[in-house]
């Protein structure tokens, strides 16, 4: 999971010389070569690694497993080292994030090797015209896959089943990114009449892609590495003979319930996690605290209020105090 390891790259590392590539933690030889031949790309990849951590924590803030072990990069617990559904999600999100960041960097002119995405062949619809600068998804997918998939193609690392699982889930992440490409438009016309719109194809934000992948995480399929014809493939563990779908996340090992801290199985536990007393979902105090109960706390919050605009040109506000209740798992 080199993408998360790169999130710890020191800001002082300029990444403007090929010898800097060896200072990036966790890269396999193919990635080092890619770094040397595309040095300007690495700032984008490091940025993507940091975005993975934020997007993952945001998507799972209401779950017992909340991506906290990502911050231990590159020394992961078993929740990310084994072939669990949590590992499946993180591999998919990492692959999507790298391609997303590269596609956007092309659009903003940060990468000399690419520019705006191509103009679509189909007409944009009545009153619309193609223009602007589309996110270069094809370049992002190409370079992102080269970087993301390189560790899974090293012969000496990991089992074949884990490699196949990680490659599959990385491709699911890129598929979710493809699905996020949508038409975006800007209005033109007298007095905002929007008589014509300039449109382009742009990607949704990474948090939206993470939300899509979280849905796939919740319905992920447990698989086994089984002979099919002359080779072994990942197939659903249940007795149905259908092949694994290209759109579904897959995992090899069941996860713990993450209720109690147990580093042997990769669980941080939920003690001291905040819960929602009024919720019936996964963030409810009953589910988040695993039936252990919770402690109520009362906090006083001071904030600006009753703000008033004065002509011209300043705002005055009063300071108001309110009481906020929070609940923390025992």
């Amino acid at each position: 999971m080199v993408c998360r390891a790169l999130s710890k790259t020191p800001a002082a590392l300029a990444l403007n010389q090929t010898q800097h590539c060896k200072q990036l933690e966790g890269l396999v030889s193919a990635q080092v070569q890619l770094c040397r031949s595309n040095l300007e790309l690495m700032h984008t990849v490091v940025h993507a690694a940091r975005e993975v951590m934020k997007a993952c924590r945001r998507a799972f803030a209401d779950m017992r497993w909340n991506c906290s072990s990502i911050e231990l990069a590159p020394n992961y617990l078993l929740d990310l080292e084994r072939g669990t559904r949590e590992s499946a999600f993180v591999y998919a999100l990492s692959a999507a994030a790298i391609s997303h960041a590269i596609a956007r960097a092309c659009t903003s002119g940060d990468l000399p090797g690419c520019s705006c995405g191509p103009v679509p062949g189909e007409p944009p619809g009545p009153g619309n015209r193609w223009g602007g600068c589309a996110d270069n998804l094809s370049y992002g997918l190409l370079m992102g896959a080269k970087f993301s998939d390189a560790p899974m193609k090293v012969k000496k690392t990991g089992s074949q089943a884990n490699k196949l699982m990680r490659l599959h889930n990385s491709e699911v992440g890129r598929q979710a990114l493809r699905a996020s490409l949508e038409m975006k438009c800007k209005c033109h016309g007298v007095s905002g009449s929007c008589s014509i719109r300039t449109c382009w194809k742009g990607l949704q934000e990474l948090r939206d892609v993470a939300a899509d992948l979280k849905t796939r995480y919740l319905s992920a399929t447990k698989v086994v590495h089984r002979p099919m014809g002359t080779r072994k493939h990942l197939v659903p563990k249940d007795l149905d003979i259908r092949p694994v779908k290209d759109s579904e996340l897959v995992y090899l090992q069941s996860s713990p319930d993450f209720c109690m801290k147990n580093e042997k199985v990769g669980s941080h536990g939920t003690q001291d996690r905040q819960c929602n007393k009024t919720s019936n979902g996964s963030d409810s105090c009953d589910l988040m605290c695993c039936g252990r109960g919770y402690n109520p706390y009362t906090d006083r919050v001071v904030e600006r209020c009753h703000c008033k605009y004065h002509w011209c040109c300043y705002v005055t506000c009063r300071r108001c105090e309110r009481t906020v209740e929070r609940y923390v798992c025992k």
Side-chain angles (χ1 to χ4, degrees):
M1 295 191 189
V2 68
C3 185
R4 273 74 63 209
L6 286 175
S7 66
K8 302 293 182 68
T9 301
L13 186 60
L15 284 174
N16 57 7
Q17 298 179 39
T18 55
Q19 59 262 36
H20 292 156
C21 294
K22 284 191 174 181
Q23 298 178 41
L24 294 172
E25 192 168 2
L27 299 189
V28 299
S29 59
Q31 290 171 320
V32 173
Q33 287 301 116
L34 191 64
C35 173
R36 286 173 174 164
S37 58
N38 298 271
L39 196 55
E40 70 285 342
L41 197 68
M42 297 313 296
H43 287 287
T44 302
V45 173
V46 170
H47 170 72
R50 293 176 179 142
E51 291 301 306
V52 166
M53 298 180 77
K54 291 192 287 186
C56 191
R57 294 297 297 266
R58 187 187 298 114
F60 282 81
D62 61 344
M63 303 283 286
R64 290 175 184 171
W65 182 79
N66 68 341
C67 298
S68 54
S69 50
I70 287 185
E71 295 177 2
L72 299 175
N75 303 308
Y76 300 107
L77 298 182
L78 289 178
D79 59 334
L80 295 181
E81 283 295 333
R82 299 186 307 152
T84 61
R85 69 169 69 210
E86 290 73 33
S87 172
F89 174 83
V90 175
Y91 268 94
L93 179 60
S94 297
I98 290 178
S99 291
H100 185 277
I102 294 171
R104 285 275 177 91
C106 291
T107 304
S108 59
D110 293 334
L111 297 177
C114 62
S115 58
C116 303
V119 176
E122 74 276 7
N128 298 334
R129 66 185 181 193
W130 292 122
C133 185
D135 288 331
N136 197 333
L137 179 58
S138 58
Y139 188 83
L141 292 171
L142 173 66
M143 300 305 290
K146 282 184 178 181
F147 191 88
S148 298
D149 294 352
M152 281 82 85
K153 295 178 180 179
V154 177
K155 291 184 178 180
K156 295 180 181 178
T157 58
S159 70
Q160 184 65 15
N162 265 302
K163 288 179 184 178
L164 288 175
M165 173 196 148
R166 291 166 181 176
L167 284 169
H168 173 89
N169 290 325
S170 294
E171 185 54 38
V172 172
R174 289 187 286 267
Q175 187 206 72
L177 186 63
R178 289 187 194 95
S180 80
L181 193 67
E182 60 186 6
M183 190 165 80
K184 298 182 178 182
C185 299
K186 182 178 180 180
C187 279
H188 304 279
V190 180
S191 302
S193 63
C194 204
S195 57
I196 192 165
R197 301 195 309 168
T198 297
C199 303
W200 63 94
K201 290 292 183 78
L203 295 167
Q204 295 177 10
E205 297 303 315
L206 186 61
R207 62 176 175 268
D208 300 314
V209 180
D212 177 9
L213 290 173
K214 182 183 177 183
T215 301
R216 302 184 196 216
Y217 159 91
L218 293 170
S219 60
T221 300
K222 190 171 187 179
V223 294
V224 293
H225 197 209
R226 182 181 297 161
M228 296 280 287
T230 58
R231 300 176 61 186
K232 280 189 171 183
H233 297 269
L234 296 179
V235 296
K237 190 175 187 300
D238 295 335
L239 292 180
D240 55 349
I241 311 300
R242 70 169 178 84
V244 171
K245 295 178 182 177
D246 293 339
S247 59
E248 64 185 335
L249 291 177
V250 299
Y251 64 100
L252 293 162
Q253 298 189 43
S254 298
S255 304
D257 59 18
F258 297 108
C259 284
M260 305 299 292
K261 186 173 182 177
N262 184 344
E263 291 193 3
K264 288 184 178 180
V265 296
S267 173
H268 288 273
T270 61
Q271 184 178 355
D272 297 329
R273 285 281 303 280
Q274 193 162 319
C275 61
N276 188 338
K277 186 181 178 182
T278 61
S279 172
N280 292 319
S282 57
D283 63 339
S284 69
C285 287
D286 185 42
L287 289 177
M288 182 67 73
C289 304
C290 305
R292 298 188 308 269
Y294 55 89
N295 293 316
Y297 294 92
T298 301
D299 297 328
R300 291 196 309 172
V301 178
V302 178
E303 56 192 7
R304 297 172 68 190
C305 62
H306 302 298
C307 294
K308 184 177 181 181
Y309 174 74
H310 298 269
W311 181 266
C312 170
C313 298
Y314 64 96
V315 177
T316 58
C317 298
R318 294 173 58 185
R319 291 170 64 83
C320 296
E321 186 177 286
R322 63 187 178 95
T323 300
V324 177
E325 290 185 338
R326 61 187 180 91
Y327 305 91
V328 176
C329 294
K330 292 181 178 179

